Amino acid sequence: MDERTRADVERAEAAIVEHYPRLVRLGYLVLPPSMGRHRRVLAAHGLVQRALPRAGRRGRERGALPAQRGPETASSYELVRLRTLRLALAYENRPARPLPALPFVWGLRLFPRAGGADELALDQALSAVPAPVRAAVGLWHLEGLDGDAARAVLVAAGVGDPDAAQRAADRLDRAAGAGAAALLDSGEFDPCTVQTRPTDLLRRRQRVRASAALVAVVAAGTAVAGVAGGDDARPRHETVAQQALDPARLLRTPNEQWADTSRVDFTAWPPRGRQAGDRELLGRALRVWAAPPAGTRITASAGTSTRPPDQPPRLLYAGLIDNVMVVVFHDGDRLVRYAEPVDTTPTLHFARVDNADLTTGGALVIGRGNGWMRYLLAPWVSDIAVLDLLAPDAPGRGLHLAPDGVTDRIPTPPADGGDCGSWPVARLRSSTRIAEDRSFLLTDLGDLAPVHLTSRPALPAATGPGEVTDAPALRSWARTACSLRSLRGAGARSVNNWAYAEQRLPEEGGSATWVCTRADTWRGPGRITVQFQPPAARPADPGRIAGRAAGTAACGRFGRPVVGDVHWQAKSGKWYLLAAGSRGVGGIDVTGGVRAGGNGATLAVPAPQGAAAEVTGRSADGGSVRAVRP
């Protein structure tokens, strides 16, 4: 082997060892979020370790390092960084690609430390853009490269359109503000500092010893075992799959841990219910989850896996709910509800709940019937009341709460296509032991996990969504609530109502509000609905849908400005084309069947009813924003 080439490889290895956390963080950022946090952690470590090139013979083989001009480690680092990027980018659009053989983790699931609302919002925005955009953001903030240097790395890594990737990264970066670099440097994006959920270490050691002894016995007594028969010769050690089905191994959080932990989510829920100690029931539920018998009804929220348990899950509840025996598990990423009706086949309901927090982990649907449901509340919820979103000025109705955290029956919101005469929501209040009198709204959209409703006021814009507590937020939701029916089964995590613009209507028609309603899913991508809300005779009169879009970052903290338009008829009978943009829109242009333009964030021009027109906003950075279409 060429000694010079061996030295090059040794320098590359030194660069990887010295900058290992930095490289793994970059790889983790670029990898597809759809892989899930556990697989991303392992894949990030694996691809950095695979970035070490092989030494070449007779020149350079594919993957070998070129000869270096000197011993400088920086050049070697740039090369292993490039190989890391190439490997990470190769995962795009191939989320099912198997992980490398090493590193391999048995008996544990790994998760970076959970961040706050800002980190979660940035992670959701990053999940909505392609890998080259995430790579550009990482090169800027994690590597400290300027635009030209980052572009050169993207080109070398095989990105087809590095300029487009950097433009998209710039838009995301400006939306994130000055704190983007600090957020990317937080524990949320650090795959080297992880939390683990281990299996029982003592029993694992005992099984390893028993397995070793068993191998010796089998090797010594093969002939005897052959004579004795098959049943007596089978190994009796417990497999990993069997461990997950053992009710004695279920994780049980201590009752008061929720008040003394920085992670306030489903992992802080203690087991509740009168049957929480019924091992026969718990074992039955685990076995049905692992291998559902014929006839089992299985329901899963959008984007939620129904895979069997791969480790002992956490027990949240076991008890009788309206003559149905119910067991609820949490496996770190999902809620699993097992229901055992009398004389009927069991049912399983799965819901994705990774990265839950105080609000989105505040309740789950424990029981459901015709027109009603019950919540099981988090231990940190001190009070619950029921409100009707369509009656914003009506007081809430207090709700009785059983000692095990189960509520009385709550009416369910109307289904799509039916009469939308009311929209029940639950107003929860958190305990002062973890938060200062924080109230928040949850609504049921048919999934196991309820949806958190938030509100963001018009200018001056808030930094992010807030709770629906004041009169303006409740009145805005009164005119928006019925549009939530279209989100049933979408796997929504939270829905935010943003009154992004106010517009004076022509002919003294009063003032209208433009609202963008954004639904974020547990998977990351969101969908938006733009509404035009003119003056109304009744508080709950719905607005007009101006446009919809899916798989977009618009109307979120990291999205670009939004523009909407509608045709509106004045009292005189004359028709107008109205358009409005959010903050950051400095002008609006109309082309096609109607031609007009003007500076400012709103525009009103006479236009025939139904005239085809293209509406485009001019953003402050010189770009354009097309109106959201119906």
Side-chain angles (χ1 to χ4, degrees), residues 156-213:
V159 173
D161 193 346
D163 294 325
Q166 290 207 104
R167 285 194 299 270
D170 181 61
R171 290 194 295 269
L172 189 150
D173 193 50
R174 283 187 284 106
L183 293 177
L184 287 176
D185 201 40
S186 67
E188 178 82 16
F189 300 95
D190 183 8
C192 288
T193 305
V194 296
Q195 295 178 334
T196 62
R197 295 185 179 91
T199 53
D200 191 311
L201 300 178
L202 181 58
R203 293 193 181 186
R204 184 190 305 167
R205 179 180 298 171
Q206 292 170 346
R207 286 195 305 274
V208 170
R209 291 174 178 170
S211 299

Side-chain angles (χ1 to χ4, degrees), residues 311-333:
Q311 63 174 352
R314 189 178 309 276
L315 176 65
L316 302 188
Y317 187 87
L320 192 66
I321 303 292
D322 297 292
N323 296 319
V324 177
M325 200 62 73
V326 174
V327 180
V328 182
F329 302 112
H330 176 240
D331 72 349
D333 290 327

Side-chain angles (χ1 to χ4, degrees), residues 195-248:
Q195 295 178 334
T196 62
R197 295 185 179 91
T199 53
D200 191 311
L201 300 178
L202 181 58
R203 293 193 181 186
R204 184 190 305 167
R205 179 180 298 171
Q206 292 170 346
R207 286 195 305 274
V208 170
R209 291 174 178 170
S211 299
L214 181 62
V215 170
V217 170
V218 171
T222 301
V224 175
V227 173
D231 287 346
D232 293 335
R234 287 181 303 180
R236 300 187 182 276
H237 64 283
E238 198 175 26
T239 66
V240 175
Q242 289 171 329
Q243 296 172 35
L245 304 183
D246 183 356

Side-chain angles (χ1 to χ4, degrees), residues 237-589:
H237 64 283
E238 198 175 26
T239 66
V240 175
Q242 289 171 329
Q243 296 172 35
L245 304 183
D246 183 356
R249 295 178 178 274
L250 287 171
L251 303 180
R252 296 171 181 261
T253 302
N255 286 336
E256 295 298 312
Q257 182 170 308
W258 61 269
D260 297 307
T261 178
S262 60
R263 182 169 181 174
V264 185
D265 58 12
F266 288 107
T267 63
W269 282 39
R272 287 172 288 177
R274 292 188 176 182
Q275 273 66 46
D278 186 343
R279 291 196 178 187
E280 183 178 348
L281 169 66
L282 300 177
R284 207 159 53 240
L286 289 168
R287 289 191 297 273
V288 171
W289 175 9
T296 302
R297 182 183 175 188
I298 300 176
T299 305
S301 303
T304 304
S305 169
T306 60
R307 69 181 186 273
D310 55 6
Q311 63 174 352
R314 189 178 309 276
L315 176 65
L316 302 188
Y317 187 87
L320 192 66
I321 303 292
D322 297 292
N323 296 319
V324 177
M325 200 62 73
V326 174
V327 180
V328 182
F329 302 112
H330 176 240
D331 72 349
D333 290 327
R334 301 170 296 169
L335 292 175
V336 183
R337 178 182 180 270
Y338 167 83
E340 193 178 81
V342 178
D343 300 328
T344 310
T345 55
T347 65
L348 288 170
H349 195 162
F350 298 83
R352 183 173 174 176
V353 291
D354 48 325
N355 288 319
D357 55 21
L358 181 146
T359 56
T360 53
L364 60 84
V365 177
I366 193 68
R368 189 184 296 279
N370 186 18
W372 59 267
M373 46 78 67
R374 296 181 190 269
Y375 283 133
L376 173 65
L377 300 184
W380 56 81
V381 174
S382 61
D383 181 64
I384 181 172
V386 177
L387 289 72
D388 182 1
L389 273 188
L390 302 189
D393 298 322
R397 172 176 61 88
L399 201 63
H400 175 260
L401 186 64
D404 61 0
V406 176
T407 69
D408 282 349
R409 292 184 177 184
I410 302 173
T412 52
D416 197 10
D419 178 45
C420 191
S422 66
W423 195 280
V425 295
R427 182 179 63 199
L428 281 62
R429 175 169 293 171
S430 61
S431 168
T432 55
R433 294 174 65 183
I434 60 170
E436 188 63 31
D437 194 25
R438 181 176 179 181
S439 296
F440 53 96
L441 295 190
L442 298 179
T443 191
D444 171 41
L445 290 181
D447 286 329
L448 190 55
V451 179
H452 181 208
L453 300 183
T454 59
S455 178
R456 180 178 173 188
L459 297 176
T463 56
E467 304 302 342
V468 184
T469 54
D470 58 12
L474 287 169
R475 291 183 185 127
S476 177
W477 264 111
R479 304 193 64 182
T480 310
C482 291
S483 66
L484 289 171
R485 293 184 294 184
S486 64
L487 295 174
R488 286 188 176 276
R493 170 195 176 97
S494 61
V495 184
N496 181 58
N497 230 21
W498 176 30
Y500 71 83
E502 299 284 342
Q503 183 175 23
R504 296 298 302 176
L505 299 177
E507 302 183 19
E508 298 182 354
S511 179
T513 302
W514 291 83
V515 176
C516 186
T517 302
R518 177 178 176 84
D520 284 316
T521 65
W522 290 97
R523 306 183 306 281
R527 60 172 67 180
I528 65 170
T529 301
V530 175
Q531 283 190 0
F532 170 71
Q533 297 180 351
R538 295 170 299 179
D541 283 350
R544 286 178 53 191
I545 303 297
R548 288 189 173 97
T552 175
C555 301
R557 182 180 175 190
F558 301 105
R560 285 178 59 75
V562 64
V563 175
D565 70 279
V566 294
H567 284 83
W568 174 81
Q569 188 178 28
K571 292 182 180 179
S572 66
K574 187 175 182 179
W575 284 90
Y576 290 85
L577 175 67
L578 307 179
S582 62
R583 184 175 62 171
V585 174
I588 296 177
D589 298 312

